[in-house]
Amino acid sequence: MRPRVIDRRGPASGPKRVGVLVSGSGTNLQALLDAEVRGALAPATIDVVISSRPEVPALARATAAGKPALVVDHTRFADRDAFETKLHEVLEQHHVELVVLAGFMRVLTERFVAHYPARIVNTHPSLLPAFPGIDAPAQAIAHGVKVSGVTVHFVDASLDGGPIIAQVPVLVLPGDDAKSLHARIQREEHLLLPDVVRRLAAGQLSCQGRHVVERAK
Amino acid sequence: MRPRVIDRRGPASGPKRVGVLVSGSGTNLQALLDAEVRGALAPATIDVVISSRPEVPALARATAAGKPALVVDHTRFADRDAFETKLHEVLEQHHVELVVLAGFMRVLTERFVAHYPARIVNTHPSLLPAFPGIDAPAQAIAHGVKVSGVTVHFVDASLDGGPIIAQVPVLVLPGDDAKSLHARIQREEHLLLPDVVRRLAAGQLSCQGRHVVERAK
């Protein structure tokens, strides 16, 4: 088993073994799987997919791609700590170095996050810090913004408040509703998330406090 | 004197006589003056420039462009109400229909704003609702965002919270500090603000609650 690197500045070469946590349809998981097939995720590899809910489409996507697909059903644990202990155990069994939240609907505790400093990434359908929390595209439409977008960020114990790795703006168009805006945001998300995973695995990114920067050559 | 239209949905033809409120260097004022000279502001006209401070460069810019340039020095009034009463009086004397805040450093009260419903616009160097208040580019750099931008919005009694008219994203580049980011935001601002004034004057925009939309033909 390779040693897990916990230096916040990241190793000279980045985390390559990826565990993807899902809860539902798994469209971001599919984008990652497709990127891996066409060689666009290397040197990262998807080594396990874990769902917090049984029988979701994301599990079928993982299985179809020949990936270990496991359920850690949060409703079957006495409390959050017990659930996260099991999650951590499965990730360790698969030697996961980088955890990607892809539509994973459980908030992770500080205790869990501490196992993976600057090693858990999440994707959020707004330009954070605007519109954290649920239904971000609907929040953006209600507020009347003209520009929203997608954010990929490191996860810390705050709600959608960890260091920002990458963002792409998406224009709100006349006549947009939350659904049409979200669909255009997702198209960018499906390009951005695999690219971030690739760059992290290649050791191209360094996290210094709140700032994620290109690593000096 | 033409009647002042206070219908929130706006008149079929928009407000054309513009008063610009300034406090300092006046680079946004210059962008408006330049746009007017090259015909890019029509049917809007800049009819008066008012500074809350004496002897600022913005006044010289206005004078050089042949515009009435007046000082309403906020330090010379007993209180905010007296200051705003004078401001309103000068704007009325010049039959101003649309008030543009261009680096104007005084917060306007609800009482003043009520004179110009959906007729006061401000420009802010971030993608609101992210980073309201002062030093928005520095806030953006400190937070570590990868995308910021510029917002032109209607002014209401909230701090930078009025209905958003237009936004343009600006990417944060590696090595950016608050100054370099602000400089790139200002380049977009100097294009966006005159364009918004033109579209408002042409009656192309309609404000419905928080939503500013293209007027139906």
Side-chain angles (χ1 to χ4, degrees), chain A residues 127-131 141-147 161 164-169 171 174 210-214, chain B residues 127-131 141-147 161 164-169 171 174 210-214:
Chain A
L127 292 178
L128 291 169
F131 312 125
I141 292 290
H143 195 87
V145 297
K146 303 299 185 183
V147 178
I164 292 168
I165 306 170
Q167 296 182 302
V168 172
L171 303 187
R210 283 207 62 81
H211 295 90
V212 182
V213 297
E214 290 288 326
Chain B
L127 292 178
L128 290 169
F131 312 124
I141 292 290
H143 196 87
V145 296
K146 303 300 185 183
V147 178
I164 292 168
I165 305 171
Q167 295 181 303
V168 173
L171 303 187
R210 282 207 62 80
H211 294 89
V212 181
V213 297
E214 291 288 326

Side-chain angles (χ1 to χ4, degrees), chain A residues 13-20 27-49 65 67 97-100 102 121 152 189-205:
Chain A
S13 166
K16 289 170 185 56
R17 294 182 60 86
V18 175
V20 185
T27 58
N28 275 308
L29 168 65
Q30 192 65 56
L32 290 164
L33 293 168
D34 293 348
E36 187 175 18
V37 165
R38 68 174 184 269
L41 210 61
T45 54
I46 300 171
D47 290 284
V48 64
V49 175
K67 302 295 182 186
E97 298 166 305
L98 179 66
V99 178
V100 177
V121 304
V152 177
E189 193 170 38
H190 294 165
L191 297 172
L192 186 64
L193 182 60
D195 190 58
V196 165
V197 170
R198 176 188 64 74
R199 292 163 71 202
L200 284 169
Q204 292 177 6
L205 299 174

Side-chain angles (χ1 to χ4, degrees), chain A residues 68-84:
Chain A
L70 298 146
V71 175
V72 179
D73 182 349
H74 67 93
T75 65
R76 308 186 71 146
F77 291 85
D79 56 25
R80 189 173 293 205
D81 268 357
F83 166 68
E84 290 189 347

